[in-house]
Amino acid sequence: MAYSDDKINMVHGAGGEVMQDMISDIVLGNISKTSVNGGIGLEALDDSATIPIDDEHVIVTTIDSHTIQPLFFPGGDIGRISAAGTLNDISVMGVKPVSLSNAMVISEGFERSDLDTIMKSMNKACEEVGAAIITGDTKVIDSDKLDSMIITTAGIGIGRKDEIVPDSGLEVGDKIIISGSVGDHGMAIMSKREGFGYETELKSDVAPIWSVVEAAKDNGTITAMKDPTRGGIANALNEMANKASVGMLLDEERIPVKPEVEAVSDMLGIDPFEVANEGKVVMGVKADTAEDVLQAIQKTKYGKDAQIIGEVVEGSQVIMETVIGGERLIEPPIADPVPRVC
C-alpha cells in the first residue's frame, strides 16, 4: 500500500506499523508530559491510561473516535461500536467501566430516526456492563463537509492498582487465550460494502467484553490483555510480545475462524488475522490456571468459542504452526486492510 511521508492518508489511521510510527514521531515527539502521578501514560501506548488517586486506587481512562462506514452493518451500528469500543479499552485493563462520555458531529440532513436508533444501541451496550452515559456534546456540520457522522467516546473505570493488567506483562510459559472467532467484524463490514450475500450469516462481533474479562479474573491469573481491534490479532499479539520482549508459538488449528469469514477473506485476498475484531479479547494467562480461565470464559455470553491458541516462549517472534505442518511468521500488518472499520 503506497503512502506519502509528507501527507496524512488513510493508512496512517489504520492501526498498523505506519500509524504507530506516526504516533511515535509526531504525537509523542511533541508532547512533554504524558502521564499523571506515575500512572500508565500515553507513552505506554496501552489500551487506556491510569491516574493513581491514592495509594491503592486508580482511575482508568481512554478516548476513541469512530468513523465507521456504513453506519449500520450486520450485527451492529456506529452507536454500539462507539460504546463497546471504549468500554472494552477500559475492560482489558482489568477494571470495570463505570461511565461513558459521548460527543457527536452530525451531518446536516441526517435522519432523526437513524440518530434515535444509534442512541438506543449505545445505551444498550452501556446497560450490558452497568455503565452510565454521563456527559456529551453535539455539533451539526454542513452536509458537504461530512458524509454522515463521527462519534467520539471517552470512558472511565475505577479500580485498585493491583487489579490493573497492562498489555506488556507476558512471561515465558504463559498460555494465550482468544475469547472467540477472529475477523468477524472486519469481514462483516467488507461483505456489506461489497454486496456479498452474507448479511444473514456473517455478523460483526461488536460487543462489550467486561463479562469475559471478569470471568477470567475470577478464575485465574491474567498477565496481559488486549482487544484486537485495528490490525487484528496479528497486530495485538505482536504488540504484546514486543513490549514484553518474548515470542509466541501459536497453533493454527486452535484459532477459531468462521467459514463465512474464510470465504470472504479468500475472495478479497485479506488475511482474517489482520482485520479488526470488536468483541474479543486476547490474554496471557498463567499456565496452571489457563484451563480454569478458558472454561469460565466459555460460559459467558460472548466467550462461547474461546480457545487456548498457543503459549509464550523465549525469542522475539510470533510464529504459528500451520495445519499442514509448517511454520508461518505472524508479522504486524502495515495497516488494517479494511479502512473505516471502527
Side-chain angles (χ1 to χ4, degrees):
M1 185 181 298
Y3 65 94
S4 169
D5 289 331
D6 300 321
K7 298 183 184 296
I8 303 298
N9 61 36
M10 295 298 290
V11 74
H12 290 96
E17 287 187 305
V18 175
M19 189 183 82
Q20 296 297 326
D21 290 344
M22 181 190 70
I23 291 172
S24 296
D25 294 342
I26 299 178
V27 178
L28 287 173
N30 285 292
I31 297 176
S32 57
K33 185 175 176 62
T34 60
S35 63
V36 177
N37 295 342
I40 296 172
L42 181 60
E43 75 288 342
L45 298 179
D46 209 328
D47 291 283
S48 298
T50 66
I51 303 175
I53 52 178
D54 59 31
D55 290 340
E56 295 183 353
H57 299 90
V58 295
I59 294 172
V60 180
T61 184
T62 191
I63 189 168
D64 295 281
S65 290
H66 305 270
T67 64
I68 190 167
Q69 284 293 335
L71 297 185
F72 299 89
F73 49 87
D77 57 40
I78 192 172
R80 184 165 178 79
I81 199 171
S82 62
T86 296
L87 297 170
N88 291 347
D89 281 347
I90 300 290
S91 298
V92 295
M93 300 298 290
V95 169
K96 182 181 184 296
V98 297
S99 73
L100 200 72
S101 299
N102 173 44
M104 299 183 291
V105 181
I106 306 170
S107 176
E108 183 182 25
F110 197 83
E111 294 288 341
R112 288 173 62 96
S113 59
D114 286 346
L115 181 59
D116 186 71
T117 299
I118 288 165
M119 291 308 304
K120 283 182 168 65
S121 295
M122 183 181 295
N123 183 64
K124 184 178 180 181
C126 289
E127 284 182 335
E128 289 188 53
V129 299
I133 300 176
I134 58 171
T135 187
D137 182 52
T138 303
K139 297 291 193 300
V140 177
I141 196 170
D142 308 85
S143 58
D144 62 341
K145 303 295 192 302
L146 180 68
D147 61 5
S148 53
M149 75 185 307
I150 295 172
I151 295 180
T152 298
T153 47
I156 291 176
I158 300 173
R160 296 175 58 88
K161 286 184 180 179
D162 57 12
E163 292 179 314
I164 299 300
V165 181
D167 61 4
S168 57
L170 292 177
E171 296 179 356
V172 172
D174 291 348
K175 299 296 184 181
I176 302 296
I177 293 178
I178 179 78
S179 64
S181 55
V182 303
D184 295 5
H185 177 70
M187 291 298 96
I189 295 296
M190 285 305 296
S191 69
K192 178 71 172 179
R193 289 179 187 170
E194 299 296 325
F196 297 150
Y198 291 92
E199 285 85 351
T200 57
E201 297 89 358
L202 179 55
K203 294 183 179 180
S204 167
D205 61 345
V206 58
I209 58 171
W210 170 247
S211 61
V212 172
V213 172
E214 185 177 36
K217 287 182 59 182
D218 290 345
N219 288 275
T221 303
I222 307 170
T223 57
M225 275 192 289
K226 207 160 190 66
D227 62 329
T229 53
R230 287 176 295 173
I233 64 167
N235 194 63
L237 294 173
N238 272 280
E239 276 195 54
M240 295 168 75
N242 289 340
K243 288 181 179 182
S245 299
V246 295
M248 291 185 193
L249 184 61
L250 309 177
D251 182 350
E252 185 178 21
E253 284 190 302
R254 299 192 66 81
I255 301 175
V257 183
K258 292 178 179 175
E260 303 95 322
V261 169
E262 290 184 339
V264 177
S265 299
D266 289 344
M267 282 189 286
L268 297 175
I270 294 175
D271 186 345
F273 294 174
E274 295 185 359
V275 299
N277 310 270
E278 291 293 342
K280 300 298 189 305
V281 56
V282 290
M283 60 178 68
V285 178
K286 286 298 183 186
D288 59 351
T289 64
E291 287 295 337
D292 291 338
V293 169
L294 178 65
Q295 292 178 24
I297 290 175
Q298 289 174 337
K299 293 176 183 177
T300 66
K301 181 178 181 180
Y302 298 119
K304 296 176 183 177
D305 297 323
Q307 291 289 336
I308 297 173
I309 62 171
E311 64 180 339
V312 179
V313 297
E314 293 183 353
S316 59
Q317 296 178 321
V318 178
I319 297 172
M320 181 176 70
E321 294 182 337
T322 68
V323 293
I324 60 174
E327 290 186 346
R328 171 187 165 191
L329 178 63
I330 304 297
E331 296 183 287
I334 300 298
D336 192 317
V338 185
R340 294 190 69 174
V341 74
C342 60

